Amino acid sequence: MNQRISFRSLLALCAAVICVLYGVCFPASAEANYTKFTRRETSIFDTEISFIGFASSEEAFERAYAPLIEMLEKYDHIFDAYNAYGDLHNLYYVNRHAAQEPVEIPDELFDLISWCKAQWNAGMRTTNIAMGAVLTIWHEYREAGLADPNNAKLPPMEDLIAASGHTNFDDVILDDENKTVYFSDPLLTLDIGAVAKGWAADAVVPYLYEALPSFLLSLGGNVYAGNAPMDGRTNWAVGVQDPQANALTVAVGGTEILDVVDVHDLTVVTSGDYWRYYMVDGERYHHIIDPDTLMPSRQMLSVTVVCESSALADFLSTTLFVLSYEDGLALVESLNGVEAMWVLPDGSVQASSGMSRFARKIN
Ligand code: ADP
Ligand code: MG
């Protein structure tokens, strides 16, 4: 629970930074017909959702906003790994029943699992949503360590190795016709945390384009920027958090913001070692696990991805967080319409060849 609170407060800080930046950069609406409205939501996706939209009136904004929240709630329930909702065949249900028999699941979940399996089949195996067995162990030790910091422990490596024998995506059997999922390994479970928010963002974006002339959606820092803001500016300004910033560095004149990314009709997604972590013997152990070492990856402090698809950006931000900079750069350069920015363990910043179009400090 503590972890949830600190995670939320961090996300709230990020959302606030994004909003403050926006306010500083675009103080007044130049287009008198449209007004900017801002809303926050903390009860969905265990994260802070912030939304900015331009609309002709508050009523028009509310008419657009209410269905957005309904849609996000629907995705939240379907993707929830910890709670049941009546007889909904959500992720929680799947992880408990799919090894006994094929489970018919909602299209929303089926499509996400299929897409992740297609990435796996294409050889992109660093982000593996079939790694639930390993990730659950880390989750339990992290929760226990946050609840009782003096007794925080690392999971025993033999437990992690045993669990890693049950993470083969080939054991997730999908039936396209009947929309069922079946686990041929009874100890396998799915953890879709690496892609769920991006997937949900992509699912609501087409609706938002129809509902409002301009919007910015942030699902816990997973940002999608719609048409340019209706105030004469050509882009939304999205702050990328400095992964090394803390209260002390900020107090002595540092800033929470590493860089600002100027975008429209694009998504900006960051994976960082500061989102979710716990401390063991003075060392930070975060939530993105290298499937080879079974330990939190030490390759990066953060990775930010800019592209059109939020699901792809979410998937890639986790992937690039685990890959070396060289391997990650080669991957990004091989993909059309994808740019990335890395913060390495020494604090230095690297970027893909086209990132300078978006990030203010990249030349
Ligand atoms: P966040 O959820 O904080 O935005 P990410 O998108 O990088 O960050 O996703 C991290 C989550 O993904 C973890 O909390 C865990 O549930 C899951 N995860 C961690 N490592 C992996 C991995 N190698 N493959 C697939 N999922 C992972
Ligand atoms: Mg991700």
Side-chain angles (χ1 to χ4, degrees), residues 127 193-195 222 269-271 313-319:
T127 299
V195 289
N222 199 316
V269 176
T270 300
S271 284
D314 207 357
F315 182 90
L316 285 176
S317 70
T318 308
T319 304

Side-chain angles (χ1 to χ4, degrees), residues 99-176:
Q100 289 138 38
E101 59 183 350
V103 173
E104 196 177 337
I105 55 176
D107 285 353
E108 291 86 348
L109 185 55
F110 188 90
D111 292 346
L112 180 151
I113 301 170
S114 298
W115 184 81
C116 289
K117 187 159 185 173
Q119 307 305 315
W120 168 270
N121 288 337
M124 300 258 282
R125 299 190 169 194
T126 315
T127 299
N128 173 15
I129 66 161
M131 218 166 77
V134 169
L135 295 171
T136 301
I137 295 176
W138 274 107
H139 182 86
E140 280 164 8
Y141 275 77
R142 192 171 62 241
E143 293 267 293
L146 288 167
D148 183 6
N150 291 330
N151 290 308
K153 290 186 187 61
L154 290 180
M157 186 43 82
E158 56 268 33
D159 291 5
L160 294 170
I161 290 171
S164 73
H166 306 284
T167 59
N168 187 344
F169 216 141
D170 295 333
D171 290 324
V172 178
I173 316 293
L174 295 168
D175 178 338
D176 283 320

Side-chain angles (χ1 to χ4, degrees), residues 167-188:
T167 59
N168 187 344
F169 216 141
D170 295 333
D171 290 324
V172 178
I173 316 293
L174 295 168
D175 178 338
D176 283 320
E177 227 161 81
N178 298 310
K179 303 284 182 195
T180 62
V181 59
Y182 173 67
F183 301 160
S184 54
D185 177 342
L187 296 183
L188 182 146

Side-chain angles (χ1 to χ4, degrees), residues 98-310:
Q100 289 138 38
E101 59 183 350
V103 173
E104 196 177 337
I105 55 176
D107 285 353
E108 291 86 348
L109 185 55
F110 188 90
D111 292 346
L112 180 151
I113 301 170
S114 298
W115 184 81
C116 289
K117 187 159 185 173
Q119 307 305 315
W120 168 270
N121 288 337
M124 300 258 282
R125 299 190 169 194
T126 315
T127 299
N128 173 15
I129 66 161
M131 218 166 77
V134 169
L135 295 171
T136 301
I137 295 176
W138 274 107
H139 182 86
E140 280 164 8
Y141 275 77
R142 192 171 62 241
E143 293 267 293
L146 288 167
D148 183 6
N150 291 330
N151 290 308
K153 290 186 187 61
L154 290 180
M157 186 43 82
E158 56 268 33
D159 291 5
L160 294 170
I161 290 171
S164 73
H166 306 284
T167 59
N168 187 344
F169 216 141
D170 295 333
D171 290 324
V172 178
I173 316 293
L174 295 168
D175 178 338
D176 283 320
E177 227 161 81
N178 298 310
K179 303 284 182 195
T180 62
V181 59
Y182 173 67
F183 301 160
S184 54
D185 177 342
L187 296 183
L188 182 146
T189 58
L190 297 175
D191 177 328
I192 63 172
V195 289
K197 281 179 286 165
W199 193 270
D202 277 354
V204 298
V205 156
Y207 161 74
L208 289 172
Y209 273 112
E210 285 197 0
L212 290 169
S214 173
F215 63 90
L216 182 97
L217 172 67
S218 170
L219 300 181
N222 199 316
V223 175
Y224 188 93
N227 293 320
M230 313 282 296
D231 54 9
R233 299 296 182 125
T234 47
N235 284 302
W236 293 91
V238 180
V240 176
Q241 189 171 334
D242 180 351
Q244 290 180 309
N246 56 42
L248 189 63
T249 53
V250 172
V252 296
T255 159
E256 291 282 337
I257 291 293
L258 179 79
D259 205 340
V260 175
V261 179
D262 294 305
V263 286
H264 63 86
D265 304 299
L266 287 171
T267 193
V268 182
V269 176
T270 300
S271 284
D273 73 348
Y274 50 86
W275 291 115
R276 284 182 199 240
Y277 63 86
Y278 73 124
M279 305 295 289
V280 182
D281 299 331
E283 285 264 339
R284 184 193 283 204
Y285 291 88
H286 63 78
H287 68 317
I288 302 177
I289 305 302
D290 182 334
D292 289 334
T293 64
L294 306 177
M295 296 293 288
S297 174
R298 301 240 175 255
Q299 299 282 0
M300 301 297 155
L301 299 186
S302 80
V303 183
T304 297
V305 176
V306 179
C307 66
E308 279 185 10
S309 158
S310 238

